[in-house]
Amino acid sequence: VTGEAKTIPIVGTELGGSRRPVPHPLDNCTHSGHATPHAKDTVSYTSTVVVRLDRVNTASKETRMPAVTRTTRDGWIDAGLAALAAGGPDAVRIEPLSASLGVTKGGFYRHFRDRDQFLDELLEVWERRSVDEVLTKMGDTKGDAATNICRAGALTFAADLLAVELAVRSWAQISSEVAARLRRVDNHRMDYLRSQFARLTTDPGEIEARSTLAFAFAIGQHFLDCDHGPFTRTEAIARSAALIVRSPL
């Protein structure tokens, strides 16, 4: 700044006193010229003042807070499904989930009203992924019926869905609401199986029997704990599936 002399009060000291002067904001400036004590404890500057920009706003830069990490709604859903798969509905608790995600409980309530709503959302997502998305992946089902049945089963009980599936089935034993949802899901699956087996046989009884066998086999194989003689478990399961879906002789 150039021009007339500027008068700047000296704060926190007295001329000739023993108290240490309180630094003035312009201490971070360089200047030329001289300072003359004034009768009213002021300093009169009559020269150019050059601001050192490298010291301006240094404090504000150093105290800048890091960005807050927030978990998305889908992130909460995935964490909730993982907890459900690992320990059932009792394992789906807000505080442990918050800790595992490294966020506060407040993040949960930005997405969900309460735990009950969250549990409903978990079931909704499970149903969509295990039915609607499976059918979307299947695409055109006018191909080979046996191939369609096997592929639908593989997608439905894929590793990322199987543990949740089994947890929901266990949950349905103690909750009528979950049982009603599970019945709806299973009915959708049975309808698909009937539509495919109807392409292998026209006998209504055989269609129903083979659809039931295929569905029961898809779920029940995960509860078996037995030996298969000269065959590996993988071989036994593959032979069983081929027998169920083969065309009538």
Side-chain angles (χ1 to χ4, degrees):
V1 180
T2 60
E4 299 178 356
K6 300 298 181 180
T7 303
I8 304 171
I10 297 175
V11 182
T13 186
E14 297 175 357
L15 294 179
S18 60
R19 293 177 58 190
R20 187 174 182 178
V22 176
H24 192 278
L26 289 184
D27 283 352
N28 285 338
C29 301
T30 60
H31 61 84
S32 60
H34 61 278
T36 303
H38 196 273
K40 294 185 179 180
D41 294 344
T42 62
V43 177
S44 178
Y45 285 88
T46 59
S47 58
T48 302
V49 177
V50 180
V51 178
R52 292 183 57 177
L53 297 177
D54 60 328
R55 295 187 182 180
V56 176
N57 294 329
T58 301
S60 64
K61 292 180 181 178
E62 292 176 350
T63 58
R64 186 175 298 166
M65 298 298 292
V68 177
T69 300
R70 291 184 178 179
T71 302
T72 64
R73 187 183 185 87
D74 287 345
W76 281 101
I77 291 293
D78 288 339
L81 288 173
L84 176 63
D90 288 341
V92 183
R93 298 290 174 181
I94 300 171
E95 288 190 7
L97 286 177
S98 300
S100 69
L101 292 169
V103 296
T104 64
K105 292 192 297 182
F108 174 88
Y109 292 107
R110 277 193 292 269
H111 300 291
F112 309 98
R113 181 180 64 254
D114 51 32
R115 180 174 178 269
D116 287 341
Q117 184 195 14
F118 185 54
L119 291 173
D120 286 341
E121 289 281 345
L122 296 184
L123 290 171
E124 189 71 29
V125 171
W126 164 74
E127 180 174 354
R128 184 178 71 248
R129 291 179 180 177
S130 62
V131 177
D132 299 338
E133 292 182 10
V134 167
L135 292 177
T136 298
K137 292 176 182 178
M138 290 297 298
D140 185 5
T141 58
K142 294 181 180 180
D144 179 69
T147 300
N148 289 342
I149 293 168
C150 292
R151 182 164 180 255
L155 290 172
T156 299
F157 301 104
D160 60 328
L161 292 174
L162 176 60
V164 179
E165 171 88 18
L166 299 180
V168 170
R169 290 188 175 280
S170 179
W171 189 4
Q173 301 301 308
I174 58 174
S175 170
S176 58
E177 293 181 359
V178 177
R181 184 183 291 272
L182 180 60
R183 176 179 290 273
R184 180 171 66 244
V185 168
D186 283 353
N187 282 336
H188 284 310
R189 292 166 171 173
M190 283 292 290
D191 286 342
Y192 178 80
L193 289 170
R194 293 185 187 104
S195 71
Q196 296 304 304
F197 278 115
R199 298 170 59 198
L200 299 177
T201 178
T202 58
D203 182 349
E206 184 174 348
I207 292 171
E208 192 64 22
R210 295 177 76 175
S211 297
T212 302
L213 282 172
F215 198 4
F217 170 71
I219 297 173
Q221 64 174 289
H222 301 290
F223 295 93
L224 291 177
D225 185 13
C226 60
D227 298 323
H228 298 282
F231 303 100
T232 65
R233 180 178 177 81
T234 300
E235 290 172 337
I237 289 174
R239 285 174 174 268
S240 300
L243 183 63
I244 293 173
V245 300
R246 74 180 182 180
S247 298
L249 298 177

